[in-house]
Amino acid sequence: MTLKKKNKMKKKLGLAPGSVVFTGDQRVEKVNLHYLNYNENQHKAVELTNHSDIVFQDVKNYIDWYDIRGLHDTFLIEQIGKQFNIHPLVLEDIADVHQRVKFEEYSTGILLVIKALEFNKENKTIEVEQISLY
C-alpha cells in the first residue's frame, strides 16, 4: 500500500458514508468555477470568483455546465450537491481524487469518473488527474 493510499484512509477513517473529504493535494490556491449556459443559438460564459457569485438558474431550453477546478473547497461541493439534489455518495466520490474509474447511475443523474493522463517531458513521468462528470 502506498503512502498516498494510507493518508487517504486516515482522512476518511471513522466517517459516515457520504462524507465529503478532499483526499488529494491542493493544486490551486483559489477554486476556479466556470459557468457556461447555452443552447443551439447562443451561449454565455462566466468565470465565478466566490461562492456568492454562483447563481443556479433553471432557464428552459438552455443547458448549464459548471466546471470546477480545485476540489479542496468541500463546502462548495456540498452546496452544489444540495442545489442539484446530488446524492451524498456522488459528492464523496468526486472529492476522493484517488477514486477508481467508474460509471454509476443514480435517480438524479449519472456519475462518470475517469483519469486524464499527461506526459511530463521534464521529469519523464506520466501525471494522472481525476475527472468527474455528473
Side-chain angles (χ1 to χ4, degrees), residues 8 30 37 57 59 62 68 70 73 95 103 105 109 114 125:
K8 170 191 158 189
K30 188 174 79 170
N37 176 265
Q57 304 173 31
V59 181
Y62 280 83
I68 303 168
D73 188 343
F103 172 87
E105 292 183 66
I114 59 176
T125 59

Side-chain angles (χ1 to χ4, degrees), residues 30-35 46-50 53-55 66:
K30 188 174 79 170
V31 173
N32 296 310
L33 193 140
H34 301 273
Y35 169 69
V46 179
E47 184 171 339
L48 306 171
T49 56
N50 64 49
D53 289 343
I54 301 171
V55 177
Y66 295 89

Side-chain angles (χ1 to χ4, degrees), residues 29 33 38 67 100 115 119 127-128:
E29 185 175 324
L33 193 140
Y38 65 94
D67 179 10
R100 61 181 168 73
K115 300 294 181 181
F119 183 69
E127 296 178 358
V128 180

Side-chain angles (χ1 to χ4, degrees), residues 74-112:
T74 56
F75 177 75
L76 173 63
I77 302 303
E78 289 172 336
Q79 292 303 106
I80 290 173
K82 287 177 187 173
Q83 179 66 36
F84 292 105
N85 194 29
I86 299 174
H87 196 283
L89 292 176
V90 171
L91 302 177
E92 178 183 18
D93 285 348
I94 290 170
D96 181 358
V97 298
H98 302 292
Q99 193 60 243
R100 61 181 168 73
V101 173
K102 65 166 55 178
F103 172 87
E104 292 185 342
E105 292 183 66
Y106 290 85
S107 61
T108 57
I110 295 172
L111 172 66
L112 179 63

